[in-house]
Amino acid sequence: MGGSIFVRTTFLLDTLIPAWDVETSPYLCGKRLAAVYPDGTVGPCIRDHSFKTGTIFDADPLSIIQCDAFHYDISKPEIPDECRECESRTACHGGCPHDKLLLTGTTSGKSVECDVHKKIIPMIKTFGSIKKRYK
């Protein structure tokens, strides 16, 4: 690989596990999460280092991390109805916008990891409910 690391999907289990059944998105991407670079520039996606929305020196630095394009949200009109009806919707929220943009050229549509999410999320939910019983 020559020092390069390729990441195919953002699947933040640590943020998902406490919020499995919350209809609103548990993801902070594009809302309250920022990547800050050594030169002071800021971007709304911790994985897309080329997309920057301002600097820490801007008058309202919190506003520059507000970027709807990078926010996971099942209620967005470009997310298909099949996602809204999926049992994994509260964890997946239609998938990572960065991954979709990178792999399909648009943030529209379902998750590029849809098949994986449909298998993994129900299993993790089951493990979570078992864990709760033994606490």
Side-chain angles (χ1 to χ4, degrees):
M1 277 207 195
S4 296
I5 297 174
F6 296 96
V7 178
R8 287 192 37 146
T9 188
T10 300
F11 197 69
L12 304 173
L13 295 178
D14 56 332
T15 60
L16 290 176
I17 290 170
W20 286 123
D21 298 319
V22 178
E23 290 294 328
T24 57
S25 178
Y27 298 102
L28 303 176
C29 308
K31 294 288 181 189
R32 296 183 323 201
L33 180 77
V36 180
Y37 303 97
D39 64 356
T41 56
V42 175
C45 177
I46 60 173
R47 294 179 44 233
D48 186 341
H49 298 196
S50 66
F51 185 75
K52 297 176 181 164
T53 52
T55 75
I56 58 172
F57 307 107
D58 289 355
D60 185 6
L62 292 179
S63 70
I64 62 175
I65 64 172
Q66 302 297 308
C67 184
D68 191 55
F70 283 95
H71 187 60
Y72 289 68
D73 189 350
I74 196 84
S75 66
K76 286 182 172 183
E78 65 267 19
I79 303 296
D81 287 339
E82 73 178 276
C83 292
R84 293 180 226 292
E85 297 163 10
C86 177
E87 81 171 288
S88 300
R89 73 184 172 280
T90 56
C92 176
H93 279 275
C96 174
H98 173 266
D99 288 349
K100 290 191 279 188
L101 188 60
L102 183 68
L103 297 172
T104 69
T106 179
T107 59
S108 298
K110 63 184 186 174
S111 172
V112 296
E113 297 291 338
C114 180
D115 293 337
V116 173
H117 291 175
K118 283 182 177 181
K119 287 184 171 110
I120 290 175
I121 292 169
M123 288 190 302
I124 295 174
K125 283 183 177 182
T126 301
F127 294 141
S129 65
I130 292 169
K131 184 179 173 183
K132 284 180 186 176
R133 283 189 290 192
Y134 292 100
K135 277 190 171 184

